[in-house]
Amino acid sequence: MIELSRLGKKFGAITALAEVDATIEGKIIGLLGPNGAGKSTLLKCLLGLVPFDGSAKVLGLSAATHGPEIRDRVGYMPEQEAFLTGMSAVELCTYAGELSGLPRTEAMQRAHASLYYAGLEEKRYQPIDGYSTGMKQRVKLAQALVHDPELLFLDEPTNGLDPRSRDEMLELITDLPQRRGCAIVLSTHLLPDVERVCDHAVIMNKGRVRFVGSIDELRGARGRLGELIVQVKADPDKLAAALTAAGATVKPVTPVQLHVDLPASATNKLVFQCARDAGVQLRGIEVRKESLEAAFLRVIEAA
Amino acid sequence: MAMTGQIHDLGYKRYAGARRDAGTRWRVIMRHQIAMAWKTWWRFKAWVGMAVLISFIAGAVMYIFSNRMFHGMGRVGDAALMIRDVALPQSIAWYCRAAFITSLTLGGTIIAGDVQSGAFTFYFARSVRPRDYVLGKLGGLGAITACITMIGPVLLAGLRLGLCESASDLVDHLVLLPKALLVGGLATCAYAAVPLGFSALADSRRTALAMWAAYYLVGGTIAIMIGSISHTGWIAALDLPTAIQGVANHLFGMPLIGPRLSGITMAEGITSVVAQVVAAIAIVWTAVDRAQKTGIGGST
């Protein structure tokens, strides 16, 4: 979907992107990074708006030479307000569709469908100037969808929303790839949002991509398959004693869960063996994952 | 808004049709510009009405007093001019006034308004290029201004042809039509491009409007004063309505009497308007090109 090869961008003496190499795939991809990490510059490069070194391909098209074609196939929901004064939501979305190359009638039909999908219903005929923050966010989503994009860039889509509106927006974002078949790049500071909706993540820091992969890989990306959460039916102490005797480090998590750090060369077979020897029934065993926040901080700090 | 969190779907299907070529986007912007202007009375319709009134009054004077001599309160000196020949060039100043008011309600705020509302992000996240935006805005504003500055003079030229007494007289006066088109076109370019240029100089509508009004009213008056005192035509021609009136008087054979117009040659009038239009377009282009490169992307 997105291929970056030695992508570089400098603004004077400041290096915004430093030879970025990455292949980004997924349905909903979280684009994460602290301020100044290069996320906005990366978006500009991907949309073909600024010249850059190296190469960037979006949906198989070169961003350096096919910017307008890419922007016809990509939807962008900006963080800041980006409306035209004096227009209703349906007028704005129709205009957006036409600017993306749709015939007027098609643009109007799709504007109604997008706004209805985004939950604006009859309010789509009212001027946007009088909308609440939540409604404006929905209009921004609808205008990004109206031209049937294959890829959506959402920039802080839940900014300024109350908890209920935030839930609704995240529901829409989760639903989009299934119902409309488009992939989403979600640029946000809110790690709980990413944890809830994203299946992949890209972490940037100081102009470089520090991590690309699935959320599961990110959270379990320490390469420590020997760090496990083990659930038992009863008698966790017996299993803990057996595992400790075998050289593992064991800590209770809940009355029926243990955090097990296996010795370096051991695999999870050791847990099964110890459970059999101790006569303890296992109910679950999984590789322990970090919280997304901890994983994010680890990646950033390692950089 | 749905407060239940329910997701609505009217039966989504992917768009399988062809997309219009990127080179046609300027026409969408132009049409939108005209449609938005037409939405309100005070932005455009009222001033079109003013232009219609000017045309009606000038046409009525031309028709009713068609055989009378024009004395012009002594401003034409010894020239022997008929009222029917004078009504058209004399009406140009009034069309310019209507066009200036329209530039205050529309043209002087267009780009600043787009900056203020974040519309650049809306445009440039799509396949709109700076040249599409500039061409669309200029085309839209040009069409709007032409309704005021071009249609009236051309209609008056047509009426003057209707007042011709013989076929040979008609043939002699046919040249009035391209002359009216030229003056109307010059005024259209001036009142579309120059206020648009000022609207690109500021980030707020009020500032842009104040700058344009100051340039037009104060700057223009200063240019006329310096031009009159120094008898330098090109300085007086820096005032847009003076330059346009000077060109009109040359084209329609009106004498250039009076402190405002004295000494302005046709070349000076045209050069002044063209130079200001080119400078304005350059300003607009630079501002829009810069906005495209910086306007996308959040603060994250």
Side-chain angles (χ1 to χ4, degrees):
Chain A
M1 190 169 63
I2 297 170
E3 291 169 48
L4 312 175
S5 172
R6 301 180 69 82
L7 176 67
K9 177 68 192 169
K10 285 186 177 180
F11 295 105
I14 299 164
T15 302
L17 293 173
E19 301 206 338
V20 174
D21 286 301
T23 301
I24 302 168
E25 295 289 345
K27 282 290 174 193
I28 306 181
I29 303 143
L31 179 58
L32 306 168
N35 287 335
K39 301 191 299 292
S40 296
T41 307
L42 178 62
L43 283 186
K44 288 177 196 175
C45 293
L46 295 179
L47 289 167
L49 292 169
V50 289
F52 51 81
D53 301 324
S55 91
K57 280 189 173 180
V58 180
L59 303 169
L61 296 169
S62 164
T65 54
H66 292 82
E69 289 88 342
I70 289 172
R71 296 198 294 275
D72 268 350
R73 293 170 62 185
V74 171
Y76 177 65
M77 176 183 175
E79 180 189 4
Q80 68 276 29
E81 286 201 5
F83 302 119
L84 281 76
T85 47
M87 292 180 87
S88 68
V90 75
E91 285 172 333
L92 183 94
C93 288
T94 304
Y95 187 39
E98 284 191 88
L99 287 175
S100 295
L102 300 185
R104 186 166 171 70
T105 312
E106 185 73 27
M108 193 175 283
Q109 285 171 355
R110 297 191 85 87
H112 282 283
S114 297
L115 287 162
Y116 197 69
Y117 177 77
L120 275 161
E121 298 172 0
E122 75 281 357
K123 293 208 169 54
R124 61 187 185 266
Y125 299 105
Q126 293 175 6
I128 297 167
D129 306 339
Y131 281 7
S132 65
T133 307
M135 288 162 77
K136 284 181 177 172
Q137 290 293 86
R138 286 167 185 268
V139 176
K140 284 197 278 183
L141 179 64
Q143 61 83 29
L145 282 175
V146 70
H147 59 291
D148 190 23
E150 293 160 53
L151 175 61
L152 264 178
F153 291 134
L154 307 182
D155 204 348
E156 303 283 357
T158 54
N159 241 13
L161 297 182
D162 60 56
R164 189 171 189 171
S165 301
R166 179 170 162 262
D167 277 351
E168 289 170 12
M169 180 60 75
L170 292 175
E171 265 182 60
L172 285 171
I173 293 169
T174 312
D175 182 69
L176 275 166
Q178 299 160 20
R179 201 173 299 238
R180 300 204 161 201
C182 60
I184 293 173
V185 174
L186 175 68
S187 173
T188 182
H189 275 129
L190 302 172
L191 295 176
D193 286 2
V194 174
E195 196 153 24
R196 183 168 153 186
V197 301
C198 294
D199 51 38
H200 284 69
V202 176
I203 298 179
M204 296 187 70
N205 191 27
K206 295 176 183 168
R208 292 180 186 275
V209 170
R210 303 295 181 180
F211 174 85
V212 184
S214 71
I215 296 286
D216 283 345
E217 284 170 353
L218 174 63
R219 294 169 69 190
R222 302 176 72 182
R224 290 294 329 273
L225 292 172
E227 214 174 322
L228 306 171
I229 297 292
V230 177
Q231 190 172 344
V232 295
K233 185 182 179 187
D235 300 328
D237 296 341
K238 283 186 185 175
L239 178 60
L243 284 166
T244 306
T249 309
V250 183
K251 287 179 203 161
V253 180
T254 68
V256 290
Q257 271 189 340
L258 298 170
H259 172 206
V260 180
D261 198 354
L262 296 174
S265 58
T267 67
N268 58 8
K269 282 182 184 170
L270 180 66
V271 179
F272 290 113
Q273 193 184 332
C274 289
R276 192 172 58 238
D277 294 347
V280 176
Q281 192 181 111
L282 292 177
R283 282 291 169 90
I285 181 166
E286 62 182 54
V287 175
R288 193 186 77 87
K289 290 174 181 168
E290 292 175 287
S291 71
L292 191 60
E293 189 177 346
F296 173 76
L297 290 172
R298 173 175 47 77
V299 170
I300 294 295
E301 281 163 12
Chain B
M1 190 192 340
M3 296 310 292
T4 58
Q6 183 189 356
I7 292 170
H8 302 279
D9 193 1
L10 296 177
Y12 182 79
K13 60 178 184 219
R14 293 212 74 96
Y15 178 64
R19 287 179 197 270
R20 288 184 173 160
D21 184 66
T24 63
R25 306 297 151 86
W26 70 272
R27 294 207 297 254
V28 176
I29 297 171
M30 178 177 152
R31 198 181 63 222
H32 172 260
Q33 189 68 40
I34 296 167
M36 290 304 287
W38 195 251
K39 267 177 116 175
T40 50
W41 277 100
W42 62 276
R43 276 177 181 265
F44 177 44
K45 286 180 191 169
W47 317 120
V48 170
M50 184 177 168
V52 170
L53 193 66
I54 294 164
S55 305
F56 181 78
I57 292 170
V61 168
M62 197 187 274
Y63 181 75
I64 294 167
F65 305 107
S66 61
N67 292 319
R68 295 212 187 154
M69 296 297 292
F70 177 70
H71 301 294
M73 294 173 286
R75 291 201 313 190
V76 295
D78 298 329
L81 294 169
M82 305 291 282
I83 285 181
R84 64 187 176 199
D85 294 319
V86 170
L88 171 53
Q90 287 293 94
S91 66
I92 294 296
W94 287 97
Y95 288 119
C96 286
R97 284 180 188 117
F100 173 62
I101 298 171
T102 311
S103 76
L104 291 178
T105 58
L106 273 172
T109 58
I110 284 180
I111 295 178
D114 278 352
V115 172
Q116 220 172 331
S117 68
F120 275 136
T121 303
F122 173 82
Y123 282 110
F124 296 131
R126 301 173 195 288
S127 51
V128 175
R129 299 159 298 184
R131 64 170 174 266
D132 299 323
Y133 179 89
V134 174
L135 206 58
K137 293 286 178 185
L138 259 180
L141 198 55
I144 288 163
T145 311
C147 291
I148 291 166
T149 53
M150 200 181 248
I151 294 175
V154 171
L155 287 176
L156 288 178
L159 179 64
R160 175 64 190 87
L161 293 180
L163 293 174
C164 287
E165 286 158 1
S166 64
S168 62
D169 190 27
L170 178 70
V171 172
D172 288 345
H173 282 88
L174 272 179
V175 73
L176 284 178
L177 280 174
K179 284 179 178 177
L181 276 171
L182 180 63
V183 174
L186 204 62
T188 299
C189 290
Y191 287 97
V194 181
L196 198 67
F198 275 93
S199 80
L201 283 175
D203 290 345
S204 104
R205 292 174 197 208
R206 284 182 186 176
T207 311
L209 204 58
M211 285 165 72
W212 161 234
Y215 176 78
Y216 187 87
L217 297 171
V218 181
T221 307
I222 292 170
I224 292 169
M225 283 168 61
I226 296 173
S228 302
I229 292 166
S230 64
H231 300 287
T232 315
W234 71 266
I235 294 179
L238 290 174
D239 178 49
L240 280 174
T242 303
I244 294 164
Q245 188 66 59
V247 172
N249 282 21
H250 275 292
L251 283 172
F252 294 104
M254 287 276 293
L256 297 166
I257 292 174
R260 276 180 68 204
L261 300 175
S262 61
I264 297 180
T265 65
M266 179 123 109
E268 284 169 346
I270 292 177
T271 307
S272 165
V273 173
V274 170
Q276 291 182 64
V277 167
V278 169
I281 292 172
I283 290 167
V284 173
W285 178 265
T286 308
V288 172
D289 193 49
R290 194 174 55 229
Q292 192 216 20
K293 289 180 173 57
T294 56
I296 306 290
S299 58
T300 53

